[in-house]
Amino acid sequence: MAFMDIEPQEIRRRMTEDLRRALAKPMNERHWVMVLDLAKCVGCTACTTACVAENHLPPGVVYRPVIEREIGRYPNVRKTFMPRPCMQCDNPPCVKVCPAHATWKRPDGIVEIDYDKCIGCRYCINACPYSARTFDKGFYYSDGTPYIPDYEKKPAFEYGRTWPRRNRHDSPAGNARKCTFCLHRIDKGLLPACVTTCLGDATYFGDSNDPDSLVSRLIASPRVMRLKAEFGTRPSTYYLV
Amino acid sequence: MKKRLNGLAWLLASVGFVIGLYGLYQRFTLGHRMADYGSYIPWGLWVAAYIYFIGLSAGSFLLSTLVYVARIERLEKIGKLSLFTAFACLVGALISIWLDLGHEFRVYRVVLHPNFRSMMSWMGILYSSYFLIILVELWFAMRVDLIAAGRGQGASAALARVVALGSTDTSDSAVERDRRILKVLGSIGVPLAIAFHGGVGALFGVVGARTYWHSGLTPIAFLVGALASGGALLAAIVYVWGPDRDGPAFEDMMRFLGKVVLAIVLLDLLLEVSEFFVGLYSEIPDEAIPIRAVLFGSRWYVFWVVHIFFGVLVPVWLLFRNAVLRRTGEGGRAAGAVALAGFLVAVTFMAVRLNIVIPAQINPEIAGLEYAFTGPGLKYTYLPTLGEWLVTVWVSSFSVLLFLVGYKLLPIVGRDDREVA
């Protein structure tokens, strides 16, 4: 935190305050952003696991994989880790291509999917330059066993709605799915699951429209970069490199 | 010979239809879990089959406009046949893409709630219009024949009476009116067919995330590919099911079709070579990796053997020899050779379509993503499963059967012209 005068134990309290302040404003006056400090990510994948648990993700669906890379040349080699949530682009290619109006950008910057409208054509998956959308083919973890336990059918709460998985045809099975920045948690004043479980305090979340928020200060850093900026997607997910 | 080919088509299509039912059963019981496509390679065999059939349909339809719009006399009698071929292929294409949807029963949303910024929505609208145009055009093209056929006895006559929709006017002025209507419909059909098949190309071309598709040439390549495959298919179909099969005019028509197909196959090859050279030279991985995979990857034979050898070299040689060099009436085997060349081009074009759809998706958009998390569908390799193949076999067989049944029951080719040698 060389460029920030904030104690590590203060970070989460500060982000929660930022969150509450943002929630007090009308939706179109806030813009949610996530900042990932790659220098602090240790590649523990706690965020990936927390996300799977929080959103009840079935096999084959992942919102926040952590990509490992080796950089340098032997013997000067090190590993870097890059979590990849949905970028929540300001100019999302996935929204443009959807033939059924099943996905759109909310005023607060989150790209939303209505699973009841999605026809499962997977055009958005192909159009996303970040591979951030995955196809839910309707698997259960207990496939191949004689019994599907009830916890596999428990509802997910994405986009503030309840999506039970009673059978394999129920949406979101058959749909494209992606990270929602844990909207259902944010609405309740809670930070996204990946943020709260990040061991190294590498994941930040907040309102970039609020000049006093922690994320506003972070994205003003010269270390900041956005993935594939050349695509003109203007992601709301920033990386500190 | 032609009778035998007709019988063979019935046999293969019937067998394919029955075997393919198992794939359909799997698709409806296991859903998409039976397929090998997933999250990183979201489009597979069924999308390739869809653009393959839609290309055949568009190509065949565009050739029909040579009859009804350009009034090319030597093709006069195959107008209805090419329209009906376009119809059968369109049905195959639509079923193929319908089965590919995650929620197939929501397909109505594409038409009822279209997003006009999405090429796929435009496809929904354009296909509906095209479907309608083909049906109306077919009806007007067959109207007089239907009235004539309806005068007889039996099931075929009864069907003709139903399809004729109560129309009875066979006067010269009515026939002239039909011709005018067909010309107008065909004229609307030309830009429509160009729009929807160029549109399918654009559907891929606009995807900036996939550099291999992202080219202004893609819609054009789709159109030329449609003309090549659809025209070639028609050449093969006309040989077996066309009118006047043994007259000198027939040989003349086949040679004309052969020359058209030859020119378009070569033009298509030119576009392909251009795409590949430009893509390889700059060595930008997003584009060069898919091209290398097509040319030298583990499934190189799809390109070199199926497409280049059986889909270009052999047909071009056959067509050049029989449609261009041979003089009329010499030996009398030119028609068969042209038909064989057409059949080869039409069938092997599936390789081109597969090589458009799959390779674009094999390159991870973010390096290392393939190792980040595991699960079904989170991989960058794709090989259609047996179930996927069976579904495609069923769809193809269904289209062929639709064609054969329609041919048998409807006056697509006049009775007098049908005599089989």
Side-chain angles (χ1 to χ4, degrees):
Chain A
M1 300 297 291
F3 64 97
M4 244 175 33
D5 50 358
I6 181 167
E7 297 296 323
Q9 61 269 30
E10 277 291 291
I11 293 174
R12 232 159 275 182
R13 191 186 59 77
R14 171 86 184 268
M15 286 196 294
T16 310
E17 273 172 20
D18 290 352
L19 185 69
R20 300 224 165 117
R21 211 162 51 245
L23 283 172
K25 296 193 289 186
M27 195 201 275
N28 58 0
E29 286 179 24
R30 55 182 186 243
H31 188 99
W32 300 123
V33 300
M34 194 171 275
V35 183
L36 295 149
D37 191 338
L38 299 188
K40 290 169 79 183
C41 178
V42 294
C44 68
T45 68
C47 55
T48 313
T49 312
C51 174
V52 169
E54 175 71 34
N55 294 297
H56 299 180
L57 300 182
V61 177
V62 61
Y63 290 173
R64 193 186 162 93
V66 177
I67 297 152
E68 291 189 25
R69 278 185 199 153
E70 276 180 13
I71 52 169
R73 224 165 220 249
Y74 180 84
N76 301 316
V77 185
R78 63 176 293 185
K79 261 194 171 172
T80 63
F81 306 96
M82 188 182 75
R84 198 257 23 230
C86 169
M87 301 288 129
Q88 316 290 0
C89 306
D90 269 348
N91 180 23
C94 53
V95 168
K96 218 191 266 184
V97 299
C98 175
H101 275 306
T103 180
W104 60 90
K105 192 167 78 85
R106 290 161 39 116
D108 59 1
I110 309 287
V111 175
E112 182 164 349
I113 305 175
D114 185 335
Y115 294 140
D116 280 339
K117 291 181 178 170
C118 171
I119 62 170
C121 69
R122 313 189 292 287
Y123 199 5
C124 59
I125 301 182
N126 251 329
C128 174
Y130 308 98
S131 292
R133 290 185 169 214
T134 44
F135 182 47
D136 187 338
K137 291 170 91 174
F139 283 104
Y140 290 117
Y141 286 99
S142 46
D143 276 336
T145 67
Y147 171 69
I148 313 284
D150 284 344
Y151 67 81
E152 295 246 39
K153 299 180 177 178
K154 286 248 160 38
F157 301 102
E158 290 170 27
Y159 309 107
R161 288 176 62 183
T162 307
W163 305 95
R165 208 175 174 79
R166 285 177 300 253
N167 62 55
R168 298 181 193 269
H169 311 295
D170 277 348
S171 278
N175 295 139
R177 302 182 65 175
K178 67 170 195 69
C179 155
T180 69
F181 273 4
C182 279
L183 266 181
H184 58 287
R185 286 174 62 98
I186 301 173
D187 287 342
K188 300 254 182 309
L190 299 167
L191 291 165
C194 53
V195 179
T196 55
T197 49
C198 182
L199 294 183
D201 282 327
T203 302
Y204 299 85
F205 183 80
D207 172 21
S208 68
N209 280 358
D210 176 358
D212 299 325
S213 69
L214 189 55
V215 288
S216 287
R217 290 187 61 189
L218 287 171
I219 60 177
S221 155
R223 284 172 56 203
V224 89
M225 72 106 178
R226 294 197 277 190
L227 267 192
K228 299 197 176 183
E230 68 277 15
F231 278 75
T233 48
R234 301 197 301 279
S236 300
T237 297
Y238 295 80
Y239 291 91
L240 296 175
V241 291
Chain B
M1 175 70 179
K2 289 161 189 173
K3 208 168 190 172
R4 235 182 273 162
L5 287 174
N6 179 43
L8 189 66
W10 271 99
L11 179 73
L12 286 177
S14 307
V15 171
F17 185 88
V18 174
I19 294 175
L21 281 174
Y22 184 68
L24 217 58
Y25 164 77
Q26 275 201 321
R27 166 65 184 81
F28 281 106
T29 52
L30 297 176
H32 294 265
R33 284 171 292 136
M34 56 91 93
D36 196 43
Y37 51 74
S39 296
Y40 295 157
I41 298 193
W43 287 348
L45 176 67
W46 298 337
V47 173
Y50 149 71
I51 59 171
Y52 170 66
F53 283 120
I54 213 76
L56 291 178
S57 178
S60 181
F61 179 84
L62 284 169
L63 281 187
S64 82
T65 61
L66 291 180
V67 178
Y68 297 118
V69 182
R71 294 267 167 90
I72 293 186
E73 269 181 28
R74 54 180 136 186
L75 298 181
E76 184 82 49
K77 285 190 172 173
I78 63 165
K80 282 177 284 181
L81 196 61
S82 54
L83 271 179
F84 195 68
T85 305
F87 174 74
C89 292
L90 175 66
V91 171
L94 294 179
I95 297 177
S96 192
I97 200 63
W98 179 68
L99 288 171
D100 186 69
L101 295 182
H103 282 276
E104 58 274 11
F105 297 111
R106 290 182 196 162
V107 67
Y108 68 92
R109 291 198 59 86
V110 177
V111 181
L112 291 189
H113 306 277
N115 167 17
F116 291 111
R117 291 203 302 167
S118 170
M119 283 314 297
M120 204 180 275
S121 290
W122 280 105
M123 291 303 103
I125 295 162
L126 293 169
Y127 287 149
S128 312
S129 324
Y130 175 62
F131 199 93
L132 220 65
I133 285 242
I134 289 195
L135 284 185
V136 178
E137 220 180 304
L138 258 177
W139 189 80
F140 275 106
M142 290 192 305
R143 196 184 65 85
V144 175
D145 301 321
L146 282 170
I147 295 166
R151 291 197 187 108
Q153 298 286 321
S156 189
L159 179 78
R161 279 194 293 275
V162 173
V163 180
L165 303 175
S167 173
T168 51
D169 192 357
T170 54
S171 64
D172 285 349
S173 64
V175 172
E176 191 46 43
R177 184 205 61 191
D178 288 355
R179 276 182 173 242
R180 278 200 309 276
I181 291 175
L182 282 170
K183 185 163 185 175
V184 171
L185 288 175
S187 308
I188 299 172
V190 175
L192 193 63
I194 291 175
F196 88 74
H197 200 64
V200 182
L203 189 149
F204 289 88
V206 296
V207 179
R210 309 285 187 188
T211 317
Y212 180 66
W213 292 334
H214 187 50
S215 154
L217 211 55
T218 308
I220 310 296
F222 267 64
L223 269 183
V224 175
L227 283 167
S229 59
L233 177 71
L234 207 60
I237 283 181
V238 167
Y239 180 70
V240 185
W241 291 281
D244 275 354
R245 269 162 296 191
D246 292 312
F250 178 72
E251 172 113 4
D252 187 40
M253 179 172 69
M254 286 300 288
R255 284 155 56 101
F256 176 71
L257 276 176
K259 281 181 206 166
V260 171
V261 172
L262 174 64
I264 305 171
V265 165
L266 289 174
L267 178 60
D268 191 60
L269 185 70
L270 176 70
L271 292 182
E272 214 164 32
V273 170
S274 161
E275 280 273 24
F276 284 180
F277 271 134
V278 171
L280 276 182
Y281 182 86
S282 50
E283 290 190 34
I284 294 169
D286 283 355
E287 190 163 13
I289 289 174
I291 295 175
R292 271 186 220 287
V294 169
L295 299 180
F296 317 113
S298 61
R299 289 193 248 296
W300 58 272
Y301 50 87
V302 176
F303 180 80
W304 291 109
V305 179
V306 183
H307 172 49
I308 292 296
F309 185 74
F310 287 109
V312 178
L313 292 180
V314 174
V316 162
W317 179 74
L318 280 172
L319 292 171
F320 193 72
R321 205 157 169 266
N322 293 287
V324 180
L325 290 184
R326 189 175 280 189
R327 300 260 171 267
T328 315
E330 217 177 285
R333 282 167 59 195
V338 168
L340 175 64
F343 177 77
L344 282 175
V345 173
V347 170
T348 58
F349 220 76
M350 183 66 188
V352 178
R353 299 314 193 190
L354 275 167
N355 271 337
I356 289 172
V357 175
I358 316 297
Q361 308 171 78
I362 60 165
N363 191 29
E365 287 174 308
I366 300 172
L369 190 58
E370 66 271 43
Y371 308 114
F373 195 79
T374 56
L378 298 176
K379 61 192 177 70
Y380 283 94
T381 54
Y382 172 74
L383 188 64
T385 59
L386 182 64
E388 284 179 81
W389 281 114
L390 285 178
V391 167
T392 297
V393 164
W394 185 84
V395 171
S396 318
S397 305
F398 180 83
S399 290
V400 176
L401 282 178
L402 183 67
F403 173 83
L404 292 173
V405 171
Y407 180 82
K408 207 169 170 58
L409 296 181
L410 296 169
I412 287 160
V413 170
R415 293 264 166 230
D416 307 338
D417 299 325
R418 280 195 186 200
E419 292 313 313
V420 172

